[in-house]
Structure formats: C-alpha cells, structure tokens
Amino acid sequence: MALVPGQVLRVAILLSYFSILCNYKAIDMPAHQTYGGSWKFLTFINLVVQAVFFGICVLTDLSSLLTKGNDSQEQERQLRKLISLRDWMMAVLAFPIGVFVVLMFWSIYIYDRELVYPKLLDNFIPTWLNHGMHTTVLPFILIEMRTTHHEYPSRTYGLIAVCTFSVCYILWVCWIYHVTGVWVYPLLDFLGSTAKIIFFATVTVVINIFYLLGEILNNCIWDTQKCIEEGKGKPKSD
C-alpha cells in the first residue's frame, strides 16, 4: 500500500528531528552539565515537543492505513484517540511554541545575539544544527498544517492549556535562577524585577496570540480547501 506524500513528509520530518536531537545531545557543552541540563532551554523542549508530535502523526498515519477496510470498532476508537491527541498537540504545543521559538530567537539574535545565543556557542554548535533548532521548525509545522486538517479544541480550553505551559516554563526558569543564581537566558540579566514581570507576561501573551494565529490559519486553509473541493463538485452551467 503506497504512502501519500503527506505521510512521507511526516516520516522525513520525524527523522530529521531525531537527527537534530541526537547531534545536539552529543555536544559536550558546559551548559549541559549544569542544573537543569538541556531541559532548561525552551529550544530543546520545543525540539522534544516537535519530535513527539510528529511521532504521533506518523503513528496515526500507520494506524489509519492498518485500520482501513477494517470493521473493528475498537481499532476505530483507538484511532480517534490518536487523532485527538495529535490535533491537541498541534494546537496547544507544536504550533504556538514552535512559532514562538523561531520568531523570538531570530528577533533577539538580529538585535543582539549575545542576549540569546552568545558567539561562544559557535564553537560548539555548527550552523546547520542551529538552523535545525531555530529555523526549520517553522516550515515543518506549516507543512503539517497545510497537509493535514487539525481539529482545534475550544478556544477557552486551548488558551488555558497554552497559559499553563507558559507559566510552568517561566516558573521553571525562575527556579533554576533560585538554585544556581544564573538566568537561563543572558537577556534576563539586563532586566530589573518589574521589567522581568512585564517580559514574562508579554511572552505569555505572545504565545497565546500564536495559538490564535494557528487556529485562524488552520481554519482559513481548510475552509478554503473545502470551498475549492465543493466548487469542483458543482456541475458547470451552460
């Protein structure tokens, strides 16, 4: 049974994330040896989120192929659960966090790279890996949105979930500072207490905006696609 292009793309993207994660973890950086390890960086957390998400996508594709033509209600029920999990991850984690990481990283990098990605890191992280962590995430997630329709949760539930993730990560960053006396991101060293609160609040708002953007974009793509398909199905008038 042949795989459709969308399924092939998802397998390729999943393999690329495995490669990026393996290469990143193989790097012997001092930051990896300190409290929190790689898990203190949103970039790494995002890579794990994306890898898990595309893993679920591939698993959903395989399950769909295996259950096609099968009348088993149990298998159909399990497939629906997988699809629901896939759609939830896309809406709440993969899209908003992925877009945030890419846009925030490059915005700060262009302004002053030392605030987010000191030049010292060039000695450890090759350019291709940097782009794998901070650039290709965006086209990958847009490809997924374009090739597969995702059912978003209710807006209230979705925003609560996004806020929960944002607050948990902010608390994690603050806890690391409490334990080590060092901020995860150099940018935070230049902000006073009030400025930090404003910064963290702004970050939370921006991620929520990206959630809404994802919902709008998803609906726009698939509503347009539906209109095109309906238009093709209508008989032409003489």
Side-chain angles (χ1 to χ4, degrees):
M1 185 178 293
L3 293 175
V4 300
Q7 293 169 314
V8 174
L9 281 172
R10 283 187 278 275
V11 171
I13 292 171
L14 176 61
L15 292 176
S16 73
Y17 276 122
F18 281 155
S19 174
I20 291 167
L21 282 168
C22 289
N23 279 277
Y24 178 74
K25 291 299 291 182
I27 296 173
D28 185 20
M29 282 199 308
H32 290 175
Q33 313 305 322
T34 57
Y35 186 81
S38 302
W39 292 98
K40 58 178 169 284
F41 300 114
L42 186 58
T43 291
F44 179 76
I45 294 173
N46 177 56
L47 288 175
V48 173
V49 166
Q50 301 297 331
V52 171
F53 168 67
F54 278 100
I56 292 172
C57 288
V58 171
L59 184 59
T60 302
D61 289 339
L62 290 174
S63 298
S64 181
L65 288 171
L66 292 173
T67 57
K68 188 173 291 185
N70 194 322
D71 295 331
S72 172
Q73 292 185 350
E74 177 61 23
Q75 288 184 346
E76 286 291 336
R77 188 172 65 84
Q78 295 301 326
L79 178 59
R80 284 195 296 271
K81 284 184 177 180
L82 266 179
I83 292 173
S84 296
L85 177 60
R86 178 200 68 187
D87 292 350
W88 183 88
M89 279 203 70
M90 173 66 168
V92 173
L93 297 175
F95 186 88
I97 298 171
V99 174
F100 176 82
V101 166
V102 173
L103 297 185
M104 179 63 77
F105 174 83
W106 287 112
S107 296
I108 299 176
Y109 186 97
I110 291 170
Y111 175 73
D112 183 356
R113 67 170 295 178
E114 295 298 320
L115 296 176
V116 67
Y117 192 82
K119 195 171 180 60
L120 176 67
L121 292 179
D122 290 343
N123 298 323
F124 300 95
I125 302 176
T127 302
W128 73 266
L129 185 55
N130 180 29
H131 283 293
M133 297 188 298
H134 298 115
T135 305
T136 58
V137 173
L138 184 56
F140 284 169
I141 204 67
L142 290 177
I143 288 171
E144 170 60 21
M145 180 168 281
R146 179 62 185 85
T147 56
T148 306
H149 175 260
H150 296 275
E151 192 71 33
Y152 268 60
S154 70
R155 184 167 294 180
T156 300
Y157 174 74
L159 291 174
I160 289 174
V162 171
C163 283
T164 300
F165 173 86
S166 302
V167 171
C168 286
Y169 180 70
I170 289 169
L171 291 176
W172 172 230
V173 169
C174 292
W175 175 255
I176 291 172
Y177 175 76
H178 172 73
V179 172
T180 66
V182 178
W183 287 107
V184 173
Y185 303 103
L187 168 67
L188 296 172
D189 285 321
F190 299 93
L191 302 178
S193 298
T194 303
K196 284 187 180 72
I197 293 173
I198 295 173
F199 175 77
F200 288 141
T202 302
V203 164
T204 303
V205 170
V206 169
I207 295 178
N208 276 272
I209 290 173
F210 287 145
Y211 170 85
L212 296 174
L213 176 63
E215 182 184 35
I216 293 169
L217 189 59
N218 181 70
N219 291 338
C220 181
I221 290 172
W222 291 99
D223 285 349
T224 302
Q225 184 70 19
K226 184 178 179 182
C227 289
I228 292 173
E229 290 175 356
E230 288 177 350
K232 288 181 179 179
K234 289 181 180 179
K236 293 182 179 179
S237 57
D238 295 332

